[in-house]
Amino acid sequence: MNSKLSQGRLAVVLFGVFLALLASRRWDQFASPQVWDEESWVIQGLIERGWREIFQPINGYLLIVPKLLLGAALAVSVYEFPTVAMSFTWVLTALIGVAVVFSPTHLKGRVLCALAIFAVPSDPEVFGIALYTFWWTAVLLFLLAVWDERAPALPLRSVYLLAGGLSSPVIVALLPVFYFRAYRYRAHAAEKWLAAGATVVAAVQFYFTRTVAAGEIPPLGSIAYHVIPKFLGSFLVGNLDENHTLAWTAGVGLLTLVIRGAWWDRRNATAAIIFFLLVAAVGLSVVRMDPAAPHPRWAGPRYFFFPYLMTFWALIQCLYLPQRKVAAGLAGAMLGLAVVNAVPAWARGVPQDDLRWTDHVRSAPFFAEYAVPIQFDGSRFRPWPPLRESRAVWEKVLGAPRLLPAAGQAARPTFAYRVLDAADQGPGVTPPGAVAAPTQMITIAPARAAGKRELRLRLKRGDRVYYKSGSPDAAAQMQVTRSEGVFIGELPLTAGWVTLEFSNSKLPPAFTLVVTDGGHGVGEWAWVEGPP
């Protein structure tokens, strides 16, 4: 009883530690949760198809767990969807860390192996986002690969298999491990059942994967020249120094130790399995893109997640090699260097912009059609294609019962305008960069004198204004006269010219729009009326 109690306490402590590590790597997503990339496709699918959406592939892959998380978050609240989805995601991520520690596997140093997941020396692209939880559920498949055959735990392993295998194509690459285990541990019936189950799950995943071309296999010359320095050398020094020769040297040294460690521990099948997992992880990345292209910080950092994790696990196993103190010392030094190498990539250097999901969703039912902006790389100026639905759909979505009440949302301000894009293209001649011919034009020029400026525009509901923002530190404010508190008072920050359509159904048929710039001194942006 005391042992179970102490294990429970340790699990709680580790859960908290993993959450803290996750927050340290992706704090912006915690402080300002956003909806990212293809998550908008899932939301749109859930809106239009309901729970059937979870069986629709994305980019050729079944992503059951990410879609279940997003669907559950949507069922809780539409208005607070980013926060709820983030909460579910972070809990699941920390629980996977706990699973690494407490699952009965042959891994040595299981706490270190769990901590290693949160310390991979790459940009934290796959951290803290619901869409990318399939990278984390795949870790459950790696645990099955090194499971202690003396602990059958078939129900638990089946959950791991379904969660990981129906959410990641990794299951296809790991089939040889399941077959190897079924043969090596043939006295254990659970291994045969797992191999049979893995075959079925892999067949389902492969059915969808084969419909999407992974791209041409990179040239052998590129593989030979880049794989070792890119996926092994960069693990140790890639974020500290870009020198290719140094990366080659570090990669060869690391590979030599890993191979020697597996050989010295050859009586333990786990060592060989982890080495296979490392090779498979690199192979999965290479078939997706030429190894010359990705970079652990700047280009496709997600493709380093599995190779780096398996490298960590291989080195941690070397720490426990009997009678191999030199090898253990080298492994410890490399592990320390990898953690130092992770520091420059630990968190993203530029804070992500808040695209104000709740304000946009609250505004959506008051327009004939509304497009909610979606994050792509953290910048408001480079968004993903928006989530676009008609008024009828938005009214249906927001009117459906949710677990979290939408108390007070109806009384809060909404946007008076929508920002048009190419999908809103109207007829007629358009100004350069505009979407449709505007009724009024507002341009910007540097102020020649200190002090704010004010424009008063007489508009009708449905009129369009050609607009470009000024300095982010001098954001423009707007007000619809005699409608104080009804509309949000900010105009958007834009990278270029956009068209604002003032078509909110709460607007009066005719109204005066008062626009005030944010300039406070000479040289700051100020409003000027006229053509651009």
Side-chain angles (χ1 to χ4, degrees):
M1 183 69 179
N2 289 335
S3 176
K4 289 184 178 180
L5 183 61
S6 61
Q7 279 202 333
R9 289 173 178 170
L10 177 60
V12 171
V13 170
L14 288 174
F15 181 82
V17 170
F18 297 147
L19 282 179
L21 287 171
L22 181 55
S24 72
R25 300 216 63 174
R26 206 65 190 265
W27 176 258
D28 285 341
Q29 181 65 5
F30 176 80
S32 178
Q34 303 295 307
V35 178
W36 289 82
D37 305 343
E38 291 98 333
E39 288 181 347
S40 63
W41 299 356
V42 179
I43 297 169
Q44 191 163 42
L46 289 166
I47 288 172
E48 297 175 358
R49 291 184 291 273
W51 285 105
R52 290 175 297 168
E53 166 62 22
I54 66 173
F55 300 108
Q56 297 294 319
I58 292 183
N59 297 327
Y61 302 144
L62 277 181
L63 303 177
I64 297 295
V65 168
K67 289 191 173 189
L68 285 174
L69 284 178
L70 293 168
L74 199 65
V76 172
S77 174
V78 179
Y79 293 107
E80 302 301 331
F81 172 82
T83 299
V84 177
M86 180 274 297
S87 301
F88 289 168
T89 298
W90 286 42
V91 168
L92 174 63
T93 302
L95 286 176
I96 288 173
V98 172
V100 173
V101 176
F102 289 99
S103 296
T105 66
H106 285 295
L107 286 175
K108 301 166 186 173
R110 289 188 297 202
V111 172
L112 290 178
C113 289
L115 292 171
I117 314 177
F118 298 88
V120 289
S122 64
D123 175 272
E125 181 181 27
V126 303
F127 285 70
I129 296 176
L131 177 67
Y132 284 155
T133 51
F134 73 92
W135 294 90
W136 292 82
T137 54
V139 174
L140 301 176
L141 299 177
F142 298 146
L143 294 179
L144 294 179
V146 294
W147 201 270
D148 187 342
E149 71 284 356
R150 296 166 297 181
L154 195 55
L156 178 61
R157 293 164 82 182
S158 298
V159 171
Y160 285 13
L161 177 62
L162 293 173
L166 294 178
S167 300
S168 172
V170 168
I171 183 63
V172 178
L174 265 57
L175 268 185
V177 176
F178 286 98
Y179 297 152
F180 170 77
R181 289 179 59 91
Y183 174 76
R184 182 177 179 88
Y185 307 123
R186 49 191 176 276
H188 300 271
E191 300 299 327
K192 299 173 184 177
W193 282 110
L194 258 293
T199 302
V200 174
V201 173
V204 173
Q205 189 66 258
F206 181 74
Y207 172 79
F208 293 99
T209 304
R210 69 178 179 81
T211 62
V212 175
E216 296 183 0
I217 298 297
L220 291 179
S222 179
I223 294 175
Y225 186 70
H226 289 290
V227 163
I228 290 180
K230 184 76 66 157
F231 290 100
L232 295 174
S234 66
F235 174 81
L236 296 176
V237 297
N239 300 318
L240 303 174
D241 196 311
E242 296 280 353
N243 185 281
H244 193 71
T245 302
L246 178 61
W248 254 107
T249 303
V252 169
L254 174 58
L255 181 60
T256 300
L257 178 60
V258 169
I259 292 175
R260 292 290 290 175
W263 174 253
W264 287 326
D265 203 21
R266 58 188 178 275
R267 293 185 179 180
N268 178 7
T270 301
I273 289 174
I274 291 177
F275 182 73
F276 174 85
L277 296 179
L278 172 58
V279 174
V282 173
L284 287 170
S285 298
V286 169
V287 298
R288 292 294 297 176
M289 64 183 345
D290 190 321
H295 188 283
R297 293 182 69 186
W298 315 120
R302 59 191 177 277
Y303 294 113
F304 294 85
F305 184 65
F306 292 153
Y308 283 179
L309 175 57
M310 289 301 101
T311 303
F312 260 133
W313 283 13
L315 288 176
I316 291 170
Q317 304 316 294
C318 288
L319 290 177
Y320 295 87
L321 285 173
Q323 309 301 320
R324 300 289 179 178
K325 293 183 179 180
V326 173
L330 287 173
M334 288 184 178
L335 287 169
L337 183 57
V339 173
V340 172
N341 185 47
V343 173
W346 195 263
R348 296 190 159 184
V350 179
Q352 64 190 31
D353 292 329
D354 182 4
L355 298 191
R356 302 177 66 169
W357 166 274
T358 302
D359 289 336
H360 284 291
V361 166
R362 187 170 58 247
S363 303
F366 298 100
F367 295 81
E369 184 179 75
Y370 198 86
V372 176
I374 303 297
Q375 274 288 9
F376 170 61
D377 64 358
S379 170
R380 62 169 54 88
F381 300 132
R382 294 181 298 276
W384 186 261
L387 173 59
R388 182 186 303 277
E389 293 290 358
S390 67
R391 171 185 287 139
V393 172
W394 284 119
E395 288 177 343
K396 178 182 177 181
V397 170
L398 295 176
R402 307 287 170 181
L403 294 179
L404 188 64
Q409 287 291 344
R412 295 180 184 178
T414 60
F415 289 108
Y417 56 86
R418 63 176 183 143
V419 181
L420 304 186
D421 60 20
D424 305 297
Q425 182 71 43
V429 179
T430 61
V435 172
T439 305
Q440 302 271 1
M441 293 185 181
I442 301 177
T443 63
I444 306 167
R448 295 184 179 179
K452 293 186 177 181
R453 289 192 172 194
E454 179 180 284
L455 282 177
R456 303 179 75 87
L457 303 177
R458 189 64 182 168
L459 300 176
K460 300 187 296 295
R461 188 195 307 141
D463 279 352
R464 293 171 173 178
V465 172
Y466 191 37
Y467 166 84
K468 178 181 177 183
S469 71
S471 165
D473 298 324
Q477 299 293 309
M478 58 146 280
Q479 179 181 326
V480 177
T481 58
R482 287 181 287 196
S483 296
E484 291 77 5
V486 176
F487 301 108
I488 294 169
E490 293 89 17
L491 286 170
L493 292 171
T494 67
W497 294 100
V498 298
T499 299
L500 307 182
E501 181 185 86
F502 286 82
S503 56
N504 188 311
S505 60
K506 293 192 293 184
L507 285 166
F511 59 94
T512 298
L513 179 70
V514 180
V515 181
T516 308
D517 80 345
H520 298 284
V522 175
E524 292 189 8
W525 292 105
W527 297 101
V528 179
E529 191 172 10

Short mmCIF file of all heavy atoms in Angstrom, two decimals, residues 136-156:
data_model
loop_
_atom_site.label_atom_id
_atom_site.label_comp_id
_atom_site.label_asym_id
_atom_site.label_seq_id
_atom_site.Cartn_x
_atom_site.Cartn_y
_atom_site.Cartn_z
N TRP A 136 3.30 13.03 -30.02
CA TRP A 136 3.45 12.57 -28.64
C TRP A 136 2.81 11.21 -28.42
O TRP A 136 3.35 10.38 -27.69
CB TRP A 136 2.86 13.62 -27.69
CG TRP A 136 3.66 14.87 -27.70
CD1 TRP A 136 3.59 15.89 -28.61
CD2 TRP A 136 4.70 15.24 -26.79
NE1 TRP A 136 4.52 16.86 -28.32
CE2 TRP A 136 5.21 16.50 -27.21
CE3 TRP A 136 5.24 14.64 -25.65
CZ2 TRP A 136 6.24 17.15 -26.52
CZ3 TRP A 136 6.26 15.29 -24.97
CH2 TRP A 136 6.75 16.54 -25.42
N THR A 137 1.65 10.98 -29.04
CA THR A 137 1.03 9.66 -28.87
C THR A 137 1.89 8.57 -29.53
O THR A 137 1.81 7.41 -29.12
CB THR A 137 -0.38 9.64 -29.48
OG1 THR A 137 -0.35 10.06 -30.84
CG2 THR A 137 -1.31 10.54 -28.70
N ALA A 138 2.70 8.94 -30.52
CA ALA A 138 3.61 7.96 -31.12
C ALA A 138 4.63 7.45 -30.11
O ALA A 138 5.16 6.34 -30.25
CB ALA A 138 4.31 8.55 -32.33
N VAL A 139 4.91 8.25 -29.08
CA VAL A 139 5.83 7.80 -28.02
C VAL A 139 5.27 6.55 -27.35
O VAL A 139 6.03 5.68 -26.91
CB VAL A 139 6.06 8.94 -27.00
CG1 VAL A 139 6.90 8.44 -25.82
CG2 VAL A 139 6.73 10.14 -27.66
N LEU A 140 3.96 6.43 -27.29
CA LEU A 140 3.35 5.23 -26.71
C LEU A 140 3.71 3.99 -27.52
O LEU A 140 3.87 2.89 -26.96
CB LEU A 140 1.83 5.39 -26.64
CG LEU A 140 1.31 6.58 -25.81
CD1 LEU A 140 -0.20 6.66 -25.91
CD2 LEU A 140 1.76 6.47 -24.36
N LEU A 141 3.86 4.14 -28.84
CA LEU A 141 4.28 3.02 -29.67
C LEU A 141 5.72 2.63 -29.37
O LEU A 141 6.08 1.45 -29.36
CB LEU A 141 4.14 3.38 -31.15
CG LEU A 141 2.72 3.72 -31.63
CD1 LEU A 141 2.74 4.12 -33.10
CD2 LEU A 141 1.78 2.55 -31.41
N PHE A 142 6.57 3.63 -29.12
CA PHE A 142 7.95 3.33 -28.75
C PHE A 142 8.01 2.56 -27.43
O PHE A 142 8.86 1.68 -27.25
CB PHE A 142 8.77 4.62 -28.63
CG PHE A 142 8.88 5.40 -29.92
CD1 PHE A 142 8.92 6.79 -29.91
CD2 PHE A 142 8.95 4.75 -31.13
CE1 PHE A 142 9.03 7.50 -31.08
CE2 PHE A 142 9.06 5.46 -32.32
CZ PHE A 142 9.10 6.84 -32.29
N LEU A 143 7.10 2.89 -26.51
CA LEU A 143 7.04 2.15 -25.24
C LEU A 143 6.64 0.70 -25.48
O LEU A 143 7.19 -0.22 -24.85
CB LEU A 143 6.06 2.81 -24.28
CG LEU A 143 6.42 4.21 -23.78
CD1 LEU A 143 5.33 4.73 -22.86
CD2 LEU A 143 7.77 4.21 -23.07
N LEU A 144 5.71 0.46 -26.38
CA LEU A 144 5.33 -0.92 -26.71
C LEU A 144 6.50 -1.69 -27.29
O LEU A 144 6.64 -2.90 -27.08
CB LEU A 144 4.17 -0.92 -27.72
CG LEU A 144 2.83 -0.36 -27.21
CD1 LEU A 144 1.81 -0.42 -28.34
CD2 LEU A 144 2.35 -1.13 -26.00
N ALA A 145 7.37 -0.99 -28.02
CA ALA A 145 8.52 -1.65 -28.64
C ALA A 145 9.52 -2.16 -27.61
O ALA A 145 10.25 -3.12 -27.87
CB ALA A 145 9.21 -0.70 -29.61
N VAL A 146 9.56 -1.51 -26.44
CA VAL A 146 10.53 -1.92 -25.41
C VAL A 146 9.84 -2.44 -24.16
O VAL A 146 10.38 -2.43 -23.06
CB VAL A 146 11.47 -0.74 -25.05
CG1 VAL A 146 12.34 -0.37 -26.24
CG2 VAL A 146 10.67 0.48 -24.57
N TRP A 147 8.61 -2.92 -24.31
CA TRP A 147 7.80 -3.38 -23.18
C TRP A 147 8.43 -4.61 -22.52
O TRP A 147 9.02 -5.46 -23.20
CB TRP A 147 6.40 -3.72 -23.66
CG TRP A 147 5.35 -3.72 -22.59
CD1 TRP A 147 4.97 -4.77 -21.81
CD2 TRP A 147 4.53 -2.62 -22.19
NE1 TRP A 147 3.97 -4.41 -20.95
CE2 TRP A 147 3.67 -3.08 -21.16
CE3 TRP A 147 4.43 -1.28 -22.60
CZ2 TRP A 147 2.73 -2.26 -20.54
CZ3 TRP A 147 3.50 -0.46 -21.98
CH2 TRP A 147 2.67 -0.94 -20.97
N ASP A 148 8.28 -4.71 -21.22
CA ASP A 148 8.72 -5.88 -20.49
C ASP A 148 7.71 -7.00 -20.73
O ASP A 148 6.56 -6.92 -20.30
CB ASP A 148 8.82 -5.56 -19.00
CG ASP A 148 9.44 -6.70 -18.19
OD1 ASP A 148 9.48 -7.84 -18.69
OD2 ASP A 148 9.88 -6.44 -17.05
N GLU A 149 8.15 -8.03 -21.44
CA GLU A 149 7.25 -9.11 -21.82
C GLU A 149 6.69 -9.86 -20.62
O GLU A 149 5.67 -10.56 -20.74
CB GLU A 149 7.99 -10.09 -22.76
CG GLU A 149 9.07 -10.93 -22.10
CD GLU A 149 10.36 -10.16 -21.83
OE1 GLU A 149 10.44 -8.97 -22.22
OE2 GLU A 149 11.28 -10.76 -21.23
N ARG A 150 7.30 -9.69 -19.45
CA ARG A 150 6.81 -10.39 -18.26
C ARG A 150 5.59 -9.70 -17.64
O ARG A 150 4.98 -10.22 -16.72
CB ARG A 150 7.93 -10.48 -17.23
CG ARG A 150 9.12 -11.32 -17.69
CD ARG A 150 10.33 -11.10 -16.81
NE ARG A 150 10.81 -9.72 -16.88
CZ ARG A 150 11.87 -9.25 -16.22
NH1 ARG A 150 12.57 -10.07 -15.43
NH2 ARG A 150 12.23 -7.99 -16.36
N ALA A 151 5.24 -8.52 -18.17
CA ALA A 151 4.05 -7.79 -17.70
C ALA A 151 3.08 -7.66 -18.87
O ALA A 151 3.14 -6.68 -19.62
CB ALA A 151 4.46 -6.42 -17.17
N PRO A 152 2.20 -8.62 -19.07
CA PRO A 152 1.34 -8.63 -20.27
C PRO A 152 0.54 -7.34 -20.44
O PRO A 152 0.60 -6.72 -21.51
CB PRO A 152 0.44 -9.84 -20.05
CG PRO A 152 1.18 -10.71 -19.11
CD PRO A 152 1.96 -9.80 -18.22
N ALA A 153 -0.21 -6.93 -19.42
CA ALA A 153 -0.97 -5.68 -19.43
C ALA A 153 -1.63 -5.42 -20.78
O ALA A 153 -1.54 -4.33 -21.35
CB ALA A 153 -0.04 -4.51 -19.06
N LEU A 154 -2.31 -6.42 -21.31
CA LEU A 154 -2.86 -6.34 -22.66
C LEU A 154 -3.86 -5.20 -22.83
O LEU A 154 -3.83 -4.50 -23.86
CB LEU A 154 -3.48 -7.68 -23.05
CG LEU A 154 -3.78 -7.88 -24.54
CD1 LEU A 154 -2.54 -7.66 -25.39
CD2 LEU A 154 -4.35 -9.27 -24.78
N PRO A 155 -4.77 -4.94 -21.88
CA PRO A 155 -5.69 -3.81 -22.06
C PRO A 155 -4.96 -2.47 -22.18
O PRO A 155 -5.29 -1.67 -23.06
CB PRO A 155 -6.56 -3.87 -20.80
CG PRO A 155 -6.51 -5.30 -20.37
CD PRO A 155 -5.11 -5.75 -20.69
N LEU A 156 -3.98 -2.24 -21.30
CA LEU A 156 -3.24 -0.99 -21.36
C LEU A 156 -2.46 -0.88 -22.67
O LEU A 156 -2.45 0.17 -23.32
CB LEU A 156 -2.28 -0.88 -20.17
CG LEU A 156 -1.39 0.37 -20.12
CD1 LEU A 156 -2.23 1.63 -20.04
CD2 LEU A 156 -0.42 0.29 -18.95
#
